[in-house]
Amino acid sequence: MSSTISTTIEDEDLWGGGNQPFKSSYGKLMMWFFIVSDALTFSGFLVAYGFSRFKNIDSWPIADEVFNHFPFLHGVDAPMYYVALMTFVLIFSSVTMVLAVDAGHHMQKDKVTFYMALTIIGGAIFVGSQAWEWKNFINGEYGAVETTGGQIYQFVYKDNPKKRVGLEEIAFEIPDERVQHDSKQGVWFYNEPTLPSFTVDEIITGFNSNPDIVIKTEKIDEKGNKIILSREESLEKINEVKYVVEGANLVRNEYGNRLFADFFFFITGFHGFHVFSGVVINIIIFFNVLVGTYERRGHYEMVEKVGLYWHFVDLVWVFVFTFFYLV
Amino acid sequence: MADNTHKLEIFRGLLKFRSNQSKIWGVLIFLSIVTIIEVVLGIVKPEVLMNIFLGAKIINWIFIILTLVKAYYIAWDFMHLRDETSGLQASVVITLIFLIAYLVFILLVEGNYIFDVMYEGFVSWNF
């Protein structure tokens, strides 16, 4: 910080770069410029998410029902625990980063190295967790069906509406000729998107023959729970089904509103990309510390600047966590 | 750099730390407590907090306020805004608060309006 850079300004330095607005160095101020503009980018994303959510306030997916996985606890309903863990990992790596900056102020090279290494590990764990989260989101778990109007219907047990039913439990297998079309198989040199595991007919037949299963709609009642249809209504609605949806992509997803998956991919993806670049930048700085670049330069301001960026990424996650998983 | 260039008080001087390191750990503990409160509320979802207040559930207001509290401590203590000049603090915070509040207001009102239009029955999605 300022102590290592001369703060006395000679008159001839005033226009020669010696002047420090806000008593902060050029590099740090530029990092603040970047952070403010990047914060606006993220708020653009999050506010757009809020817009879509307000627009579909009576049918938006409930985060607790979507993000309920935890490693090694397959099939256990564990909402929020994993993202909470990710939040702690990121906050902790933020702390090791401040400790690195602090050690830099005291010119303690070994401590800076140690804390930078911890920060990099924390960031890597976070990015890995996010990849795992994406994997679960993309693969889906139970599967759902979609109607002509774009409504997603999920299946639950009539007696126990909390328990979802997977498509493979419902489907009544009908032998048919439909095979995946590859570019090598026909005159036309293009292939088609991956076929779902079950056809619409198989699901409808299976659903009709299984009286224990009812449809869970996208719509939300006054208490904030998804509306579950009676068996009679379900039998009527099942005939409107046009697609089988498994997992999520940018077009449709088994969780509900199409925009939900789009925002999930864009917001957490954009944030994950920031964490990833943060890790890469931290690694570069880590090696610079290791070879003594900043020791020779006489100050560790560079560590402080990447520190600012790293805390900013943490700050953004605090908001993403609230608006995507909690609210 | 000596420690005395850091401001070592948080909670308006209620808590004063001896060194910058202990302040960092103190802030970590505080942020962890806030996060734990958020997670517990998110899992338990107390029935009392489910009532609507000013257009949103009370629990959501609590989440938003706790988030802003966390944001304050991350910016002030981890990003060292506490040690910067008031000019820099204001340039960062006022700019963001003004622009984001404006964006939030415009888009949420618009989203709400579009919901009303569709809800009044001009469009049917249930087919």
Side-chain angles (χ1 to χ4, degrees):
Chain A
M1 254 168 70
S2 49
S3 73
T4 47
I5 301 159
S6 171
T7 44
T8 48
I9 302 164
E10 306 292 324
D11 271 352
E12 57 266 29
D13 281 346
L14 205 55
W15 298 98
N19 203 354
Q20 290 190 342
F22 299 133
K23 300 196 183 83
S24 192
S25 72
Y26 172 80
K28 262 169 74 180
L29 268 192
M30 289 304 122
M31 186 49 95
W32 274 110
F33 266 96
F34 169 71
I35 286 173
V36 169
S37 58
D38 212 24
L40 289 172
T41 311
F42 271 110
S43 42
F45 270 134
L46 281 174
V47 174
Y49 172 81
F51 168 81
S52 305
R53 190 162 166 175
F54 269 54
K55 184 179 150 189
N56 300 291
I57 197 81
D58 62 346
S59 63
W60 200 252
I62 298 167
D64 283 355
E65 294 174 3
V66 179
F67 308 103
N68 54 3
H69 301 80
F70 200 86
F72 311 115
L73 292 180
H74 191 73
V76 178
D77 182 45
M80 300 249 308
Y81 293 103
Y82 195 58
V83 264
L85 186 71
M86 283 164 69
T87 309
F88 280 117
V89 169
L90 205 56
I91 289 182
F92 197 78
S93 84
S94 232
V95 167
T96 53
M97 188 81 229
V98 216
L99 290 172
V101 173
D102 190 70
H105 287 160
H106 297 100
M107 303 296 289
Q108 296 161 323
K109 185 182 156 188
D110 294 342
K111 271 192 161 180
V112 180
T113 317
F114 174 68
Y115 285 129
M116 284 296 288
L118 280 186
T119 308
I120 292 167
I121 293 170
I125 293 175
F126 183 86
V127 177
S129 310
Q130 218 163 31
W132 190 78
E133 187 95 338
W134 272 49
K135 187 212 88 184
N136 285 327
F137 191 83
I138 292 173
N139 287 342
E141 192 168 0
Y142 299 103
V145 288
E146 192 186 286
T147 66
T148 325
Q151 294 274 309
I152 290 288
Y153 290 155
Q154 299 170 338
F155 299 106
V156 291
Y157 287 108
K158 196 161 72 177
D159 320 323
N160 183 7
K162 281 223 178 314
K163 197 159 158 49
R164 294 273 306 276
V165 187
L167 289 182
E168 66 281 352
E169 288 178 60
I170 300 170
F172 176 82
E173 205 163 314
I174 305 171
D176 64 358
E177 297 285 305
R178 186 72 171 87
V179 287
Q180 177 84 41
H181 180 74
D182 292 324
S183 56
K184 63 173 194 272
Q185 275 171 331
V187 241
W188 302 107
F189 295 95
Y190 59 81
N191 43 17
E192 63 177 357
T194 315
L195 289 175
S197 325
F198 307 102
T199 64
V200 173
D201 282 343
E202 285 174 335
I203 298 295
I204 295 181
T205 319
F207 183 81
N208 285 335
S209 62
N210 197 335
D212 295 335
I213 298 172
V214 289
I215 286 177
K216 180 174 170 184
T217 63
E218 274 184 42
K219 291 281 177 220
I220 294 175
D221 62 15
E222 300 83 40
K223 292 200 131 182
N225 297 318
K226 295 279 174 188
I227 294 174
I228 291 161
L229 300 179
S230 68
R231 178 71 188 165
E232 290 71 38
E233 288 169 321
S234 301
L235 282 174
E236 199 179 308
K237 288 287 182 198
I238 193 78
N239 295 313
E240 294 166 357
V241 167
K242 283 288 176 299
Y243 297 101
V244 173
V245 187
E246 287 172 309
N249 56 34
L250 286 173
V251 181
R252 45 176 69 92
N253 66 80
E254 64 170 56
Y255 310 107
N257 199 303
R258 295 173 171 203
L259 286 170
F260 177 72
D262 295 351
F263 277 112
F264 175 79
F265 288 130
F266 272 92
I267 295 177
T268 65
F270 200 59
H271 178 264
F273 179 66
H274 273 76
V275 181
F276 175 72
S277 11
V279 170
V280 171
I281 297 167
N282 276 344
I283 289 174
I284 295 170
I285 301 299
F286 172 74
F287 280 113
N288 276 341
V289 172
L290 215 56
V291 298
T293 310
Y294 307 123
E295 203 70 28
R296 281 194 296 280
R297 196 176 285 175
H299 60 83
Y300 279 86
E301 203 193 63
M302 208 61 201
V303 177
E304 195 170 338
K305 280 181 276 194
V306 291
L308 280 179
Y309 176 71
W310 191 251
H311 299 311
F312 168 70
V313 170
D314 180 28
L315 188 62
V316 169
W317 179 254
V318 167
F319 281 90
V320 172
F321 175 64
T322 302
F323 292 111
F324 230 96
Y325 297 95
L326 287 177
V327 169
Chain B
M1 165 173 292
D3 264 340
N4 56 22
T5 49
H6 290 288
K7 293 188 179 126
L8 298 173
E9 300 169 343
I10 61 171
F11 307 133
R12 297 194 163 271
L14 197 68
L15 212 56
K16 191 157 166 42
F17 293 101
R18 274 179 294 110
S19 69
N20 196 35
Q21 275 108 323
S22 54
K23 185 183 84 167
I24 294 167
W25 291 112
V27 172
L28 168 71
I29 291 168
F30 176 69
L31 291 180
S32 307
I33 292 172
V34 172
T35 309
I36 289 170
I37 293 175
E38 282 184 335
V39 171
V40 168
L41 279 181
I43 291 167
V44 176
K45 291 201 163 105
E47 207 54 43
V48 199
L49 300 178
M50 288 300 162
N51 300 317
I52 305 286
F53 176 73
L54 286 182
K57 285 179 193 159
I58 295 173
I59 196 171
N60 288 352
W61 283 117
I62 294 178
F63 285 147
I64 291 169
I65 290 166
L66 288 181
T67 303
L68 292 176
V69 169
K70 278 205 284 188
Y72 171 82
Y73 282 100
I74 290 175
W76 246 245
D77 290 313
F78 287 177
M79 297 169 98
H80 300 297
L81 262 185
R82 203 187 285 279
D83 302 328
E84 304 289 356
T85 59
S86 58
L88 181 54
Q89 292 173 349
S91 320
V92 172
V93 175
I94 294 179
T95 313
L96 284 180
I97 288 184
F98 171 72
L99 289 173
I100 293 173
Y102 176 68
L103 198 64
V104 167
F105 168 73
I106 289 288
L107 277 174
L108 294 193
V109 168
E110 181 71 10
N112 213 5
Y113 169 73
I114 296 179
F115 170 78
D116 284 342
V117 169
M118 296 200 301
Y119 189 74
E120 310 277 298
F122 294 108
V123 188
S124 170
W125 299 98
N126 193 9
F127 57 92

